[in-house]
Amino acid sequence: MRHETDGDDAHTRDLSRRTFLSIAAAGAIAAGCDPVSLASESPAEGQSAPRLRWGVVGTGNIANSMAGVIRASEGAELSAVSSRRMETAREYADRHDVPHAFDSWAQMLVSEVVDAIYVATPTSAREEICLAAAANGKHVLGEKPFASAHSVSRIVEACLENDVAFMDGTHFPHHPRTADIQTRREELVGTTWSVGSVFQFNLGNRSNIRYNRDLEPMGAIGDAGWYNMRAAYEYLPAGVELEGASAFLRRDEETGAVIGGSGALQFAGGATSTWTCGFDSGVMISDVRIAGTDGVIYIDDFLYQNADGSADFTLRRGRSSDTVRVESTKPGAVLMFEDMAAAAADPTLRRRWMTATERTQTLLDAVWEAGLENEGA
């Protein structure tokens, strides 16, 4: 059986999400607790979206895929691109109709043609560029993962000092399905005690940078495992404190890169999160299970949405099983750039996204260290 979300709720999400999120974030900050990572769509009716001119650092696959996403986002303009070689930058600019090309990200950061920077580089180069962007007064959206929680802290501090927004490039928290589950979780499944997630796919091409231990030190744990950690952060009750982590890593025999892993996180109060990720799966799977005292929420393909922008989850209580559809006219990736524009315009919206990045990276560091310890045992 399929149910659509309540019409009044959908109306609030579709037309007044900016106002709602501003109030929610301000209230959470005033209360001294972690703001919930609520998704947002467009500004409230009657408000014009701030227009950000984006500069992209990097011309790889992710940078190319995000070019169309930026163009589809309200209040976003793809203004510039930088690469180590001007030829590559110009190829990207020609392909995506970008007016400005640079062969140095440093030159792009000091230019007057961009307001915000999308850092689509390997992990090893990410912190330096994020810090430089903040120092030049540019808002920062950095791909994930980051080198460490300490690295994230330095980026956050720089962005706060320079009064710019910072966000990581995780899409699914920005889709209204995430906010819908967060706000109704106790109503739907009672006290949540477990989040289980799987994200695995096949990446057999060893020339991919994710097999390069210098560029991507954590391999599959950083690349795919980031989403497992973010699922735990988004779907467990807000503010739960990590008490322990376990992890087992799998390495590629040829390159030594980590190509998969499994483990568990233990939180204060008894909540847990189990996870599995990998590059060596025969099929792509990205599922989340949220278990509570009264029921279970199951999200098939939690990283993706339907073709029309909507997204589903299954609610199981007792012997009943219902599919709930959360409507949206836009996918999470587009909404991410719109949320970034909102955070650039309104400083009260920034802290929750920074906190989400900090907490996700902290969980990632914990499982990485646990995995390395098991290898050395």
Side-chain angles (χ1 to χ4, degrees), residues 61-141:
N61 290 337
I62 187 66
N64 277 278
S65 66
M66 286 297 105
V69 172
I70 293 173
R71 293 196 178 283
S73 304
E74 293 182 24
E77 175 184 337
L78 186 50
S79 179
V81 61
S82 70
S83 179
R84 290 173 296 177
R85 296 189 302 120
M86 181 58 78
E87 179 185 3
T88 306
R90 285 178 175 158
E91 287 176 355
Y92 183 100
D94 290 343
R95 184 181 306 117
H96 300 294
D97 194 23
V98 181
H100 305 284
F102 296 84
D103 60 2
S104 164
W105 56 260
Q107 291 178 0
M108 186 173 70
L109 296 186
V110 301
S111 75
E112 296 298 323
V113 301
V114 295
D115 308 304
I117 303 298
Y118 172 51
V119 185
T121 65
T123 301
S124 58
R126 202 159 289 149
E127 179 183 346
E128 179 185 10
I129 301 170
C130 290
L131 293 177
N136 282 280
K138 313 300 184 185
H139 303 289
V140 183
L141 195 160

Side-chain angles (χ1 to χ4, degrees), residues 226-249:
W226 172 274
Y227 294 96
N228 299 108
M229 303 305 113
R230 190 56 168 265
Y233 172 77
E234 297 291 347
Y235 293 125
L236 284 171
V240 292
E241 294 296 329
L242 182 67
E243 290 191 337
S246 62
F248 297 90
L249 309 180

Side-chain angles (χ1 to χ4, degrees), residues 124-375:
S124 58
R126 202 159 289 149
E127 179 183 346
E128 179 185 10
I129 301 170
C130 290
L131 293 177
N136 282 280
K138 313 300 184 185
H139 303 289
V140 183
L141 195 160
E143 270 305 329
K144 67 287 171 204
F146 298 86
S148 66
H150 292 301
S151 177
V152 173
S153 295
R154 288 188 289 269
I155 296 170
V156 167
E157 182 178 357
C159 289
L160 291 173
E161 287 180 353
N162 291 280
D163 192 26
V164 295
F166 169 65
M167 185 181 290
D168 67 66
T170 313
H171 305 170
F172 81 88
H174 300 270
H175 191 278
R177 173 175 61 186
T178 301
D180 188 75
I181 292 173
Q182 289 172 333
T183 55
R184 299 198 297 140
R185 183 180 54 233
E186 289 194 10
E187 168 196 339
L188 297 175
V189 299
T191 301
T192 302
W193 55 268
S194 174
V195 170
S197 64
V198 178
F199 182 36
Q200 54 194 37
F201 52 93
N202 186 272
L203 182 65
N205 180 9
R206 289 182 173 83
S207 66
N208 189 285
I209 65 168
R210 286 172 281 191
Y211 279 85
N212 187 317
R213 298 172 66 183
D214 293 326
L215 298 178
E216 298 295 345
M218 295 187 190
I221 301 301
D223 184 78
W226 172 274
Y227 294 96
N228 299 108
M229 303 305 113
R230 190 56 168 265
Y233 172 77
E234 297 291 347
Y235 293 125
L236 284 171
V240 292
E241 294 296 329
L242 182 67
E243 290 191 337
S246 62
F248 297 90
L249 309 180
R250 296 194 307 279
R251 290 189 182 269
D252 177 55
E253 292 184 2
E254 180 178 326
T255 64
V258 174
I259 57 173
S262 299
L265 300 164
Q266 302 87 44
F267 297 89
T272 62
S273 180
T274 56
W275 58 273
T276 297
C277 68
F279 294 159
D280 53 351
S281 172
V283 295
M284 200 285 290
I285 181 171
S286 62
D287 295 349
V288 165
R289 184 196 68 251
I290 306 165
T293 52
D294 300 331
V296 173
I297 292 171
Y298 179 74
I299 312 174
D300 184 16
D301 289 340
F302 77 102
L303 302 181
Y304 305 100
Q305 299 89 50
N306 301 320
D308 63 358
S310 66
D312 305 328
F313 65 88
T314 300
L315 174 63
R316 298 173 180 169
R317 301 184 65 171
R319 296 185 177 181
S320 68
S321 180
D322 297 330
T323 298
V324 180
R325 172 156 294 179
V326 181
E327 297 294 342
S328 176
T329 59
K330 302 173 185 177
V334 170
L335 296 175
M336 176 179 71
F337 281 95
E338 295 188 2
D339 280 342
M340 187 67 178
D346 186 349
T348 67
L349 300 178
R350 297 174 186 173
R351 184 66 230 191
R352 74 172 179 275
W353 298 117
M354 296 176 177
T355 297
T357 307
E358 290 175 318
R359 295 294 177 86
T360 305
Q361 186 70 49
T362 296
L363 298 179
L364 193 68
D365 287 3
V367 300
W368 178 247
E369 292 300 325
L372 294 180
E373 288 176 9
N374 275 328
E375 285 187 324

